[in-house]
Amino acid sequence: MESERRVRSDDPWPAGGTDTDIATLVAEARGGSQAAWDSLVERFLPLVTSLMRRYRVTGADADDVNQTVWLRLVEHLDRIDEPQALPGWLATVTRHECFRLQHLRGRTVPTDPQTSPTFERPDHSPDMLAELLADERHTALVDALLELPAQRRDLLLLLTEDPPLSYAEISRRSGLPVGSIGPTRARALQQLRRTRAFRRLTSPTDGSLT
Amino acid sequence: MTDLPPEDPAVLDPDDQQVLDELAEALSSHRDVEPRHREAARSAFTWRTVDSELMELTYDSLDAPVTVRSAIDALPRALSFASGFGTLDVELDGDRVRGHIVPAAVATVVMSNAAGATLGTESDEDGMFDFPGSLPGPVRFSIEGEGAGTTPWVTL
């Protein structure tokens, strides 16, 4: 089938912009809104996934950790006083569940305390903060992307495919002549910078996010 | 910056390049999510229960400090939960899950998982109970009757 695969089918691009902040989503989820809950999942699942990957929890173990984390959040919903602290809470629960699972499996990871992911660090170590800041920035960028008109958003999605697409391929899929890709990209990025989500990003970490 | 970029799309303003790189990184973490993890995360919401008293996890043998792990590893997995009413201790013993309720009472104890499977058992006069097996995935325990409560989800 020769369909224009602009967005991967499993890419979750919730329709209708990103006006709702975390506090609103939490309040609506408390009221029983599955849609609000799903939006919270979209926002924070990449954080949970990246932590599990970092602690090398995979396969069925990752399924268990992931499920436990979200079930815990369901229980915890009514006790969230400060919705902005939610990413930190989720990260802490995920880390603890990863550690427990590693202990449960009797895994002894080679212990270089400088690098071992199982080395207990306080939850507000620079490491943890950097992780959360990067995640927050990533989330804001994705939110910013959602504020763009579909054509510009689709172009940026094509330009950020991994592995990268050729300009000929981008042209074919976007319907833009190769000569228009550069100018359209420039306008799309300019508009991205003017989105509310992007402007809310006050302090770029230091440009390097890895 | 006000000039239109040249027609060769490979020529890119460095600031634009940086934003694009960050965007690619942000998107890769969104694209990397396992669909079944998303599915599990979404359906976790169906387990929202507003009215049951949530017990607190007060002890988990897996949280013991790493330095004493070699001694701990020989012991069975043990968990303790507390509510305003009392405590619930659970111990994994091979395939069996044993436990006891304090204050001692005859009560129904139910183990359930997120797939909707449940196992039920009765505690005896001493508050001791014994499940002949376990359930796959994260589970939680509920005490019914006096001192009713539900534990957080745990992976046994």
Side-chain angles (χ1 to χ4, degrees):
Chain A
M1 201 172 68
E2 185 55 20
S3 65
E4 296 289 304
R5 200 188 55 118
R6 294 200 176 168
V7 176
R8 294 177 197 192
S9 60
D10 56 2
D11 261 355
W13 299 110
T18 56
D19 288 320
T20 37
D21 59 10
I22 297 171
T24 311
L25 291 174
V26 168
E28 288 177 5
R30 266 182 202 164
S33 164
Q34 175 81 48
W37 172 260
D38 289 352
S39 298
L40 288 172
V41 169
E42 289 314 324
R43 266 164 198 257
F44 296 119
L45 187 55
L47 171 65
V48 173
T49 298
S50 65
L51 285 168
M52 292 194 300
R53 194 170 297 137
R54 195 166 146 224
Y55 297 120
R56 298 191 201 107
V57 171
T58 57
D61 286 351
D63 293 350
D64 282 353
V65 169
N66 176 68
Q67 196 170 36
T68 303
V69 168
W70 296 103
L71 289 165
R72 288 274 177 86
L73 180 59
V74 170
E75 288 164 358
H76 187 70
L77 267 183
D78 292 317
R79 303 173 172 197
I80 299 172
D81 297 325
E82 184 46 75
Q84 298 314 316
L86 186 54
W89 185 89
L90 274 170
T92 301
V93 173
T94 307
R95 285 151 45 86
H96 281 172
E97 288 306 310
C98 286
F99 293 146
R100 280 183 188 152
L101 222 96
Q102 286 172 338
H103 290 172
L104 190 60
R105 300 281 175 261
R107 250 178 247 151
T108 37
V109 182
T111 51
D112 173 359
Q114 295 302 312
T115 57
S116 169
T118 56
F119 185 69
E120 291 277 0
R121 295 186 182 94
D123 284 343
H124 296 288
S125 64
D127 205 38
M128 174 78 169
L129 288 177
E131 202 164 78
L132 288 175
L133 279 175
D135 184 72
E136 208 169 284
R137 197 167 163 79
H138 287 176
T139 304
L141 279 164
V142 173
D143 285 352
L145 191 65
L146 291 170
E147 289 185 41
L148 295 189
Q151 194 204 25
R152 292 183 180 177
R153 181 172 76 212
D154 289 349
L155 178 64
L156 293 183
L157 286 171
L158 289 171
L159 285 164
T160 50
E161 284 268 354
D162 182 23
L165 303 173
S166 70
Y167 288 109
E169 178 65 10
I170 291 171
S171 167
R172 194 187 67 76
R173 290 209 212 162
S174 65
L176 289 170
V178 171
S180 298
I181 292 176
T184 309
R185 175 183 57 202
R187 283 191 292 270
L189 289 172
Q190 205 167 48
Q191 187 175 5
L192 191 78
R193 288 194 178 89
R194 287 198 301 258
T195 56
R196 268 168 306 148
F198 195 91
R199 282 183 283 131
R200 245 181 268 134
L201 283 174
T202 44
S203 55
T205 44
D206 60 357
S208 66
L209 288 172
T210 45
Chain B
M1 199 43 217
T2 49
D3 289 343
L4 275 183
E7 296 219 329
D8 178 356
V11 179
L12 185 54
D13 176 283
D15 287 349
D16 279 0
Q17 184 66 63
Q18 197 193 328
V19 174
L20 209 55
D21 287 349
E22 283 191 35
L23 191 59
E25 194 181 321
L27 287 168
S28 78
S29 63
H30 277 252
R31 285 167 173 156
D32 276 357
V33 164
E34 293 270 4
R36 67 176 191 284
H37 288 172
R38 175 178 296 118
E39 201 42 55
R42 287 183 171 183
S43 55
F45 195 62
T46 58
W47 295 100
R48 179 162 163 73
T49 45
V50 184
D51 44 357
S52 72
E53 156 136 27
L54 186 62
M55 301 183 85
E56 196 183 333
L57 178 66
T58 52
Y59 173 76
D60 184 337
S61 56
L62 293 180
D63 286 340
V66 176
T67 45
V68 295
R69 285 227 56 82
S70 51
I72 295 288
D73 279 340
L75 298 172
R77 175 84 189 282
L79 299 157
S80 295
F81 305 94
S83 69
F85 185 84
T87 62
L88 168 69
D89 295 330
V90 174
E91 188 177 292
L92 193 65
D93 180 6
D95 288 338
R96 307 182 80 84
V97 179
R98 301 176 198 276
H100 96 280
I101 302 170
V102 177
V106 176
T108 301
V109 184
V110 177
M111 182 193 328
S112 45
N113 72 6
T118 58
L119 290 174
T121 190
E122 293 282 315
S123 60
D124 64 19
E125 288 156 5
D126 299 323
M128 310 293 283
F129 61 87
D130 185 356
F131 290 100
S134 188
L135 293 169
V139 297
R140 63 179 174 180
F141 298 90
S142 301
I143 306 171
E144 295 174 358
E146 202 185 358
T150 301
T151 70
W153 294 90
V154 291
T155 308
L156 288 179

